[in-house]
Amino acid sequence: MKIIHAIVQPQRVDRMEAALTGIDGYVGMLLIKAEGLRPPGPGTDVNTVAAMRARNFDRTRIEIMAPEASLQAMLDAITPIVEVGPPRAAGTVPE
């Protein structure tokens, strides 16, 4: 058994669920609300409420229990949905 961890934009959760539904061994996912904080830009007053709101962003942390036999299929299904930046081979870890 392996655990897949992903932090995604909340609107991508439904697409992940749809992609995983048909895979043998998929029993569900744990969703945890997460907040991120961007670094302030140059010349930004970091002490104002408006500045803090502009720097915050919502994300959802997802944990999926994956049997060894289904792990690669699950990674292949969710990688295109959660990935940002230049494409790479599904299920690989950048160096």
Side-chain angles (χ1 to χ4, degrees):
M1 219 28 132
K2 299 282 185 177
I3 299 177
I4 300 171
H5 294 276
I7 298 175
V8 300
Q9 297 169 350
Q11 66 267 21
R12 294 184 183 201
V13 173
D14 291 336
R15 288 176 45 205
M16 284 186 63
E17 178 72 22
L20 292 168
T21 299
I23 298 175
D24 288 336
Y26 173 70
V27 294
M29 63 176 82
L30 174 66
L31 304 176
I32 303 164
K33 182 180 177 183
E35 283 189 18
L37 185 63
R38 293 180 184 94
T44 303
D45 182 8
V46 296
N47 297 320
T48 65
V49 173
M52 287 297 289
R53 283 195 190 121
R55 293 175 50 212
N56 285 358
F57 57 93
D58 290 333
R59 292 292 186 260
T60 302
R61 179 179 170 167
I62 297 173
E63 295 182 1
I64 304 165
M65 293 299 293
E68 293 281 342
S70 303
L71 178 63
Q72 192 60 49
M74 289 182 185
L75 290 173
D76 291 343
I78 66 172
T79 298
I81 298 167
V82 301
E83 190 169 59
V84 293
R88 60 178 183 265
T92 61
V93 178
E95 295 180 19

